[in-house]
Amino acid sequence: GITNASVEGTGIKRAIIAAGKEVVLVADSSKLGQVALARVAQLSAVDLWITDDGVDGDALERARSTGLKIEVV
């Protein structure tokens, strides 16, 4: 899922996700597998994940198999 290091602001992020027509997650490969203090949303809330080419290929395929659109830049 999507987590945040601080509880402060998490409610705002949840509201933005709930109100949005499309949710775009921009997270580089260093964030994959990291779990922070506050849960923001399930990965299923994301329509498009933009990441760098450092993400493990197996992890990308697992994410894609859920229907998540991924753009590697």
Side-chain angles (χ1 to χ4, degrees):
I2 302 168
T3 59
N4 193 43
S6 171
V7 173
E8 186 176 319
T10 300
I12 293 170
K13 290 177 182 182
R14 288 179 183 154
I16 291 169
I17 289 170
K21 291 182 180 179
E22 183 176 28
V23 176
V24 178
L25 172 66
V26 180
D28 67 28
S29 59
S30 71
K31 303 296 186 209
L32 186 64
Q34 301 298 314
V35 178
L37 176 66
R39 178 175 293 276
V40 176
Q42 296 289 333
L43 196 55
S44 60
V46 175
D47 298 299
L48 171 64
W49 172 25
I50 299 173
T51 191
D52 63 77
D53 61 2
V55 175
D56 176 67
D58 290 337
L60 281 177
E61 288 310 312
R62 282 193 306 275
R64 283 188 174 118
S65 73
T66 68
L68 179 60
K69 183 178 175 186
I70 302 170
E71 185 173 326
V72 177
V73 294

